[in-house]
Amino acid sequence: MPKINGNEIRPGNVLEHNDGLWVAVKVGHVKPGKGGAFAQVEMKNLRNGSKLNERFRAADKVERVRLEQKDQQFLYENDGMLVFMDTETYEQIELPADILGERRPFLQDGMMVTMEYYEAEALSATLPQKVTCTISETEPAVKGQTAANSFKPAVLDNGVRVMIPPFVDQGEAIVVNTETMEYSERA
């Protein structure tokens, strides 16, 4: 695995540090008036979610890890475990449902999910950026409320609350951005 200098760390880099795998969340380069410059790195553990703030000087060497990405299909949920299948080898793996965090309600049967692996260990799962959902309940549009940027609350068929434009009604299918968890467009 390649070693990089402490000042080459960028947000999103996966590092092997203190016998753990960490993803760099925020990186700030600091040049104090006295002494050498350093990178102040906020990191999140990929295995248990704990956070750590660490300083790396330019001379410090850090192990950078490359994760393997595979597209896998979601099959079903069983006792809090999500079952995914590799579409090439038809091998099935089980992962805890909390691997998706707050995006879990957007997971649908048969959906293709991008999994990140370190050796044979699955570390994270990423949903498609846009998912189609149906509005199960919302308020009726108020006549004359056509001002720009006016939104009304709605509950989707998966139980997630989003804000939608006033022209969208109950029962309609909409596209939701899974990264921001906001309305994107009509389906």
Side-chain angles (χ1 to χ4, degrees), residues 44-100:
K44 182 179 177 195
N45 191 309
L46 287 173
R47 292 188 174 111
N48 61 21
S50 63
K51 291 197 172 180
L52 174 72
N53 276 319
E54 197 77 54
R55 287 182 175 181
F56 294 101
R57 301 214 174 273
D60 295 342
K61 294 285 189 193
V62 183
E63 194 92 18
R64 183 168 174 210
V65 178
R66 295 225 185 264
L67 298 179
E68 182 185 353
Q69 293 188 332
K70 285 185 185 176
D71 285 339
Q72 300 202 321
Q73 185 177 21
F74 172 65
L75 298 178
Y76 59 90
E77 183 173 0
N78 183 21
D79 294 332
M81 300 295 280
L82 304 176
V83 180
F84 295 92
M85 179 182 68
D86 189 324
T87 53
E88 294 171 11
T89 63
Y90 300 106
E91 186 179 313
Q92 293 183 11
I93 63 161
E94 284 189 5
L95 296 172
D98 61 356
I99 195 167
L100 292 171

Side-chain angles (χ1 to χ4, degrees), residues 6 21 25 30 32-33 74 80 102 137 141 167 171-172 176 180 182 186:
L21 287 177
V25 180
V30 180
F74 172 65
E102 60 190 22
E137 60 182 82
F167 57 82
E172 285 191 55
V176 178
T180 60
E182 294 175 346
R186 275 183 168 161

Side-chain angles (χ1 to χ4, degrees), residues 98-115:
D98 61 356
I99 195 167
L100 292 171
E102 60 190 22
R103 288 159 184 69
R104 165 65 186 98
F106 291 107
L107 187 63
Q108 299 167 352
D109 288 343
M111 181 179 278
M112 294 302 287
V113 176
T114 304
M115 307 289 270

